[in-house]
Amino acid sequence: EGFTDGMRSSFADVAGRDADAQCEFFLKSFIFALGDNWKEIPELLKDYRKAGGETGMNHVQASDFLQKHGKTRTGTQRKNELDDVDINNDGIISFLEYLLLHYKVLILNEYYKRYEDFYPNGPEEDLSQDGIGLCGVGYKLVDELLTLPKGMNPQLTAAIESFTEAKKAREQKIKTLKAKADKGGVKGMAAQQELTIMESEDSTEINRVELTLQAAMRRADKRRGSQALNEQKAKAEAELKKAAEEKRAKLAAKRAMFEGKK
């Protein structure tokens, strides 16, 4: 319900990418809404992988993962909500689909902000209680996911991509070193030493890229605030102009009626 062929096709394109790319896309879509909590997304990806979700989780795995990450629900609620975000109905919950459920309320709030003119009374659904049991909103979640926020600019986009690349490269190197260390021998011992050093270091490169991303966020958010203020001002001016034109039209109509009676 509510899905267009274009939405399904666009979502399938993003969901078909690897988990890092899905993580990156979600960050781009909700970087402003997440605010300082944006760091939760790469951490969730790390946990998702550890739980066996490199290429997706079945509904049982995803249900357990959801419960272990603070999203307490009954078994029936978890089943129904997972069905709702299994957008392609393949029985597998990709990382992107999981994020749609984990951040359901945040996404719906953004959706209703964007469509406030169509929903003057606010959300149709009850978004309290962390959206527990809330279903039938998959198309709204996807619609908002596929709409990049106002204020997104090339600098912020590049910062998010650089962060994702640096994180992915580091994790791939750790994975490679672990595989070598497991084989033992001289090369295995050397790999284990390098791995120990790498895991204990302060991730200088990651921290540098992270700071760059946060700085880009602040700059973009500032411009975004100015843009929103200008849009509100333009809207108010347009409403005043419309009211003045309606008043002139009424006066003209009255004048025409008066002159017609003479």
Side-chain angles (χ1 to χ4, degrees), residues 19-72:
D20 291 288
Q22 292 177 35
C23 176
E24 180 181 292
F25 192 92
F26 191 86
L27 282 174
K28 287 178 180 176
S29 287
F30 300 109
I31 193 69
F32 296 117
L34 288 163
D36 291 339
N37 294 327
W38 69 269
K39 296 178 186 178
E40 294 175 357
I41 311 304
E43 287 303 312
L44 273 173
L45 176 55
K46 184 188 285 187
D47 291 348
Y48 181 85
R49 281 186 163 130
K50 285 180 181 177
E54 180 64 40
T55 56
M57 293 180 171
N58 62 40
H59 284 215
V60 175
Q61 290 173 310
S63 176
D64 183 59
F65 188 78
L66 183 73
Q67 197 82 341
K68 287 179 177 177
H69 284 79
K71 301 294 180 179
T72 306

Side-chain angles (χ1 to χ4, degrees), residues 1-244:
E1 183 188 350
F3 280 102
T4 64
D5 290 340
M7 282 172 65
R8 287 192 182 280
S9 176
S10 296
F11 181 82
D13 174 61
V14 181
R17 303 172 193 175
D18 64 30
D20 291 288
Q22 292 177 35
C23 176
E24 180 181 292
F25 192 92
F26 191 86
L27 282 174
K28 287 178 180 176
S29 287
F30 300 109
I31 193 69
F32 296 117
L34 288 163
D36 291 339
N37 294 327
W38 69 269
K39 296 178 186 178
E40 294 175 357
I41 311 304
E43 287 303 312
L44 273 173
L45 176 55
K46 184 188 285 187
D47 291 348
Y48 181 85
R49 281 186 163 130
K50 285 180 181 177
E54 180 64 40
T55 56
M57 293 180 171
N58 62 40
H59 284 215
V60 175
Q61 290 173 310
S63 176
D64 183 59
F65 188 78
L66 183 73
Q67 197 82 341
K68 287 179 177 177
H69 284 79
K71 301 294 180 179
T72 306
R73 280 137 165 82
T74 65
T76 300
Q77 288 169 336
R78 292 197 300 276
K79 179 184 182 303
N80 293 338
E81 291 183 60
L82 285 165
D83 285 342
D84 198 34
V85 298
D86 187 0
I87 307 301
N88 54 5
N89 300 310
D90 63 352
I92 298 296
I93 302 298
S94 67
F95 184 60
L96 193 60
E97 288 171 328
Y98 175 78
L99 290 174
L100 292 180
L101 176 49
H102 193 100
Y103 290 98
K104 181 194 300 184
V105 172
L106 178 146
I107 297 170
L108 287 175
N109 275 321
E110 292 301 300
Y111 175 88
Y112 283 109
K113 283 179 191 175
R114 189 161 58 88
Y115 285 114
E116 62 180 344
D117 291 341
F118 296 93
Y119 298 97
N121 297 321
E124 294 182 311
E125 304 85 9
D126 180 7
L127 301 185
S128 64
Q129 305 298 316
D130 199 29
I132 293 176
L134 178 57
C135 295
V137 293
Y139 73 96
K140 293 180 180 178
L141 299 175
V142 172
D143 185 8
E144 194 59 30
L145 171 74
L146 297 174
T147 305
L148 290 179
K150 289 182 179 180
M152 198 67 177
N153 58 55
Q155 292 75 27
L156 181 53
T157 298
I160 292 173
E161 290 172 354
S162 294
F163 174 81
T164 304
E165 287 170 11
K167 196 91 172 172
K168 184 177 181 179
R170 176 180 166 80
E171 289 174 0
Q172 183 58 51
K173 188 172 182 180
I174 289 175
K175 184 178 179 181
T176 301
L177 288 171
K178 282 183 177 178
K180 288 182 179 179
D182 289 343
K183 291 180 179 179
V186 176
K187 290 183 178 180
M189 288 177 63
Q192 184 59 56
Q193 288 178 342
E194 188 178 349
L195 184 61
T196 301
I197 293 170
M198 191 173 180
E199 290 183 329
S200 63
E201 68 183 9
D202 62 355
S203 307
T204 304
E205 176 61 16
I206 295 291
N207 291 340
R208 184 190 66 76
V209 177
E210 188 176 297
L211 287 172
T212 302
L213 171 53
Q214 289 175 322
M217 273 181 66
R218 286 194 295 271
R219 288 194 296 271
D221 210 20
K222 188 175 180 180
R223 283 194 293 269
R224 191 165 172 252
S226 298
Q227 181 184 0
L229 192 61
N230 289 334
E231 287 178 355
Q232 288 175 1
K233 185 179 177 182
K235 185 177 180 181
E237 289 174 349
E239 289 174 352
L240 286 172
K241 184 179 179 181
K242 182 180 178 183

Side-chain angles (χ1 to χ4, degrees), residues 239-253:
E239 289 174 352
L240 286 172
K241 184 179 179 181
K242 182 180 178 183
E245 289 173 348
E246 288 175 350
K247 187 176 181 180
R248 282 196 297 271
K250 286 179 181 178
L251 288 172

